[in-house]
Amino acid sequence: QARYKKHYSICAEILDQIVDLSTKVADYRTLTNNLIPYKLMHDWKELFFNAKPIYEQASVKTLPANPSRQQLIELEKRDLLDTNDYEEYKNMVGEWALPEEMVDNLPPSNNCILGHILHRLVEKSLPPRAESTTPELPSFAVKGCLLGKTLSGKTTILRSLQKDFP
């Protein structure tokens, strides 16, 4: 009896997902004259294969501190589709693939005008650092005398000067 109920619930869930996908496709086809964009159909199939509901269950625009189960499902759907889009981007497939006319093209030749413009923009935004115009003096010893009353901080000042100017 328990196995039957478990099997029945799994089959009912799969059947619900199939009905959801087919009604979503049928609705979209009636609205767009039988044209479904590849990306949209791919996303629907991905949700179907991962047992996620195709229709939106809850809004995730503003999430409370304790999101509901439906909001968590929506976040999982979003993460799944974002991950798939990123993988397609990395592998340059799907909408990220190069068009056929560009596959055999060589890279563009050197454009001197564009290179000059970019060079000038870099010079304007990052000007070269000017060399110091002050001449370097050879190091020499400085002798000095520090006068002050008792406990006025003569030794403390001399120690800090010794650290800065050994």
Side-chain angles (χ1 to χ4, degrees), residues 32-69:
T32 61
N33 202 17
N34 289 336
L35 300 174
I36 298 177
Y38 169 79
K39 174 80 173 111
L40 195 57
M41 188 65 185
H42 179 64
D43 288 349
W44 291 344
K45 285 194 273 185
E46 198 64 41
L47 292 172
F48 175 75
F49 292 141
N50 286 288
K52 303 290 182 205
I54 294 173
Y55 288 101
E56 185 174 343
Q57 302 292 313
S59 175
V60 290
K61 290 182 181 172
T62 56
L63 283 177
N66 295 326
S68 67
R69 183 175 181 273

Side-chain angles (χ1 to χ4, degrees), residues 16-150:
D16 286 343
Q17 290 176 356
I18 290 172
V19 169
D20 282 351
L21 179 63
S22 59
T23 55
K24 186 80 165 184
V25 168
D27 288 345
Y28 205 90
R29 281 192 171 171
T30 57
L31 293 174
T32 61
N33 202 17
N34 289 336
L35 300 174
I36 298 177
Y38 169 79
K39 174 80 173 111
L40 195 57
M41 188 65 185
H42 179 64
D43 288 349
W44 291 344
K45 285 194 273 185
E46 198 64 41
L47 292 172
F48 175 75
F49 292 141
N50 286 288
K52 303 290 182 205
I54 294 173
Y55 288 101
E56 185 174 343
Q57 302 292 313
S59 175
V60 290
K61 290 182 181 172
T62 56
L63 283 177
N66 295 326
S68 67
R69 183 175 181 273
Q70 288 85 9
Q71 288 174 325
L72 291 175
I73 290 172
E74 288 300 316
L75 289 175
E76 289 173 9
K77 285 171 44 178
R78 184 188 295 175
D79 289 343
L80 174 71
L81 294 177
D82 287 347
T83 303
N84 287 340
D85 284 344
Y86 179 65
E87 287 299 320
E88 285 182 2
Y89 170 71
K90 280 192 337 186
N91 298 326
M92 291 188 71
V93 295
E95 69 182 68
W96 302 102
L98 284 176
E100 290 180 16
E101 62 268 7
M102 290 183 65
V103 172
D104 297 330
N105 289 357
L106 297 173
S109 62
N110 190 10
N111 187 338
C112 296
I113 297 171
L114 180 62
H116 177 72
I117 292 170
L118 290 175
H119 182 69
R120 292 294 305 264
L121 285 173
V122 168
E123 281 180 346
K124 294 276 186 193
S125 62
L126 301 170
R129 294 188 182 184
E131 295 286 330
S132 175
T133 56
T134 58
E136 294 235 356
L137 300 174
S139 62
F140 55 91
V142 176
K143 293 185 180 183
C145 175
L146 189 63
L147 301 173
K149 293 187 176 190
T150 308

